Amino acid sequence: MPIHLHAGQLSDVGAAQLAARFHALSADHLEYMDEEGAKALAGAGTVAVMLPGAYYTLRQTRPPPVALLRQAGVEMAVATDNNPGTSPCTSMLLMLNMACTLFRLTAEEALSGVTRVAARALGVLGTAAHSRWASAPIWHCGASASPRSSATPWAATPVRASFMAVLQCVEAPQSAAYPC
């Protein structure tokens, strides 16, 4: 059974190491995590899920240790953690913006975090290819769109259309031109 763990949101009790020990697909929150935890996640291939909505709503003051995660080579996904108590938000565009402004993710990291890395955190990428139903929005970002301009307009609604389709999810090689 795939494991996902809410880890280190309010204190460091070694939850990142626990997630790694059981080869969790993802460990969420991670505001409180040390270098050992980051190295353990990297060794297990566990995705760190950044949840800026919960961080913001709870008025937390300690962001996840993004520099440690980068240094260890841990991939970072970005999600809403939508729930009525600590993150009443379904806007992925707002989460993209918050991940960049509150957690200092680069626009490329944030965009990758809501696409390719998020698919890995859910277990639909990085294993055998699967056919899955997916809801995919089509965003209008303008003719001169860049990752930065796509990840920062939190008040706009750039969705022009959406569709449901069966997608074939396979790991594609990354390139400097398209990191997602």
Side-chain angles (χ1 to χ4, degrees):
M1 172 174 15
I3 297 171
H4 303 272
L5 185 71
H6 276 232
Q9 182 179 14
L10 303 173
S11 64
D12 187 358
V13 294
Q17 291 90 326
L18 181 66
R21 178 177 170 201
F22 289 98
H23 297 280
L25 291 175
S26 68
D28 303 354
H29 294 289
L30 300 171
E31 283 87 346
Y32 291 85
M33 181 188 61
D34 60 13
E35 188 175 350
E36 273 185 44
K39 287 179 179 178
L41 293 177
T46 299
V47 174
V49 181
M50 306 291 101
L51 300 168
Y55 173 86
Y56 175 82
T57 303
L58 294 175
R59 298 180 182 183
Q60 290 181 271
T61 57
R62 181 175 175 159
V66 170
L68 278 179
L69 293 166
R70 283 183 187 128
Q71 185 178 7
V74 178
E75 289 193 293
M76 294 175 280
V78 176
T80 66
D81 195 25
N82 179 42
N83 71 78
T86 62
S87 188
C89 181
T90 59
S91 172
M92 287 305 297
L93 192 56
L94 180 56
M95 295 306 107
L96 278 169
N97 176 275
M98 287 180 154
C100 293
T101 58
L102 298 175
F103 297 162
R104 301 292 186 238
L105 265 63
T106 66
E108 292 82 4
E109 286 171 327
L111 287 168
S112 186
V114 299
T115 55
R116 181 186 57 80
V117 181
R120 282 198 63 246
L122 293 171
V124 297
L125 197 71
T127 58
H130 294 88
S131 293
R132 303 280 174 118
W133 278 100
S135 173
I138 299 172
W139 290 355
H140 174 72
C141 298
S144 62
S146 69
R148 178 85 180 134
S149 66
S150 302
T152 54
W154 57 274
T157 306
V159 175
R160 295 296 184 243
S162 64
F163 61 93
M164 289 289 292
V166 175
L167 300 178
Q168 197 67 278
C169 295
V170 295
E171 189 79 48
Q174 282 186 273
S175 72
Y178 184 68
C180 298

